[in-house]
Amino acid sequence: MNKKLVFFDIDGTLLDHDKKVPLSTKEAIQELTANGHEVAIATGRPPFLFKELREELGIDSYVSLNGQYVVYKGKLVYSNPIPTEVLHSLKEYAVSIGQPIIYTSEENTKMNVTYHKRVEASYAPHKLPIPECDPDYYLGRHIYQAALFCTEEEESAYIVEYNDLLRLVRWDEVAVDVIPTGGSKAAGIEKFIQHLGYYKREEVIAFGDNLNDLEMLQFVGHGVAMGNADSVVKEVARYVTKDVDQDGIMHGLRQLGLLSVDSAVV
């Protein structure tokens, strides 16, 4: 069997609905690596927000911040920050219409207000800590991703204003990630593959469940949507596995022939 490169999204893919890693997922990844395949994470999260998960699963390669910060075996191999002048303009625009903005580097996340109900509403389901306030956090450091807290209707104004500079990726009814135009998990995976130099796209597999996984699942040779994925995600995936709470990772890897049928949980 040719060795494969397998990417996993985090929320709703590696983590179940209670934000825990299913036992079957841990055992599946252990067997996957024991069989000689390479495993990496592909997420919208910044590195510091999934450090414990990497340690728990023994994974030290990842595409983070929706493709803007790529690490292979603990070493940075690609980064794509948002220009400071663009962030300043975006902040001024968001403030002018009374909406909060969050800035994320590889080390931390800060927001420009002390509290906003939309931030709380969108962060709560993911059990993530609300960022501290630092309006000038974007100055003097690399910011790879921002977040705006707007509805789909409100989003259109940002698209008109920043279409040539920024890309908005929705992850909640009132929240979107903001990355450089052309950025995506797929673009980050492409940089990852280019760095290694020995994988073809048809040898690359990705598991995901959310809208920011669309390009990734279409780009790789074998895109796998979780059973709990949005219907539009399932439509673009090559395969659909079971729900994350029903041993979806293990089942999907068996579908692909990467795990023995009698491995761990049935």
Side-chain angles (χ1 to χ4, degrees):
M1 181 193 303
N2 291 333
K3 303 307 179 186
K4 308 296 185 185
L5 172 59
V6 189
F7 288 91
F8 296 98
D9 170 53
I10 293 180
D11 297 289
T13 303
L14 286 176
L15 295 181
D16 63 20
H17 303 303
D18 294 321
K19 300 303 175 185
K20 297 180 180 179
V21 182
L23 177 60
S24 63
T25 295
K26 293 181 183 179
E27 294 176 339
I29 290 176
Q30 288 172 358
E31 182 177 342
L32 194 63
T33 55
N35 290 343
H37 303 292
E38 283 204 72
V39 177
I41 289 172
T43 180
R45 293 191 184 202
F48 70 92
L49 279 182
F50 62 100
K51 182 175 183 291
E52 291 182 0
L53 178 64
R54 299 198 306 271
E55 293 172 348
E56 181 179 358
L57 297 176
I59 299 174
D60 58 2
S61 298
Y62 52 89
V63 170
S64 64
L65 293 159
N66 284 310
Q68 311 319 299
Y69 196 84
V70 179
V71 169
Y72 179 67
K73 294 191 180 300
K75 180 182 178 182
L76 179 67
V77 297
Y78 172 74
S79 67
N80 185 32
I82 303 173
T84 301
E85 62 272 18
V86 176
L87 284 168
H88 181 74
S89 173
L90 183 68
K91 179 204 73 172
E92 293 292 305
Y93 189 81
V95 168
S96 73
I97 55 178
Q99 292 176 353
I101 182 171
I102 284 179
Y103 311 107
T104 303
S105 69
E106 77 281 12
E107 298 176 334
N108 216 327
T109 295
K110 303 288 185 180
M111 64 179 177
N112 70 326
V113 294
T114 56
Y115 171 82
H116 197 283
K117 62 182 181 181
R118 286 186 176 181
V119 176
E120 184 177 51
S122 57
Y123 267 58
H126 299 283
K127 299 183 179 179
L128 294 172
I130 302 297
E132 295 178 348
C133 177
D134 185 348
D136 296 324
Y137 187 69
Y138 70 97
L139 298 174
R141 60 172 50 83
H142 286 156
I143 298 298
Y144 296 98
Q145 183 169 276
L148 295 170
F149 296 84
C150 57
T151 64
E152 284 193 44
E153 183 179 0
E154 294 165 341
E155 179 184 342
S156 60
Y158 288 101
I159 293 175
V160 170
E161 190 74 18
Y162 295 98
N163 188 52
D164 294 335
L165 299 170
L166 299 168
R167 177 172 178 241
L168 276 59
V169 183
R170 183 158 295 279
W171 56 274
D172 186 84
E173 290 183 2
V174 293
V176 294
D177 284 331
V178 181
I179 56 179
T181 296
S184 67
K185 289 186 182 182
I189 288 174
E190 185 172 24
K191 295 295 184 181
F192 192 105
I193 295 171
Q194 289 173 353
H195 173 75
L196 295 186
Y198 48 79
Y199 282 106
K200 298 178 181 178
R201 277 172 60 177
E202 54 266 31
E203 297 173 322
V204 182
I205 298 163
F207 285 72
D209 73 304
N210 214 332
L211 297 179
N212 65 343
D213 297 318
L214 289 172
E215 293 93 345
M216 172 178 77
L217 297 182
Q218 292 173 302
F219 173 78
V220 300
H222 303 272
V224 185
M226 302 300 291
N228 47 279
D230 188 289
S231 59
V232 68
V233 178
K234 292 179 179 178
E235 288 172 7
V236 305
R238 188 169 180 177
Y239 310 94
V240 177
T241 185
K242 294 181 180 181
D243 190 287
V244 63
D245 284 339
Q246 299 174 338
D247 307 319
I249 294 296
M250 178 166 282
H251 179 77
L253 291 170
R254 285 176 178 165
Q255 280 184 297
L256 294 165
L258 299 183
L259 298 182
S260 59
V261 176
D262 59 350
S263 58
V265 181
V266 177

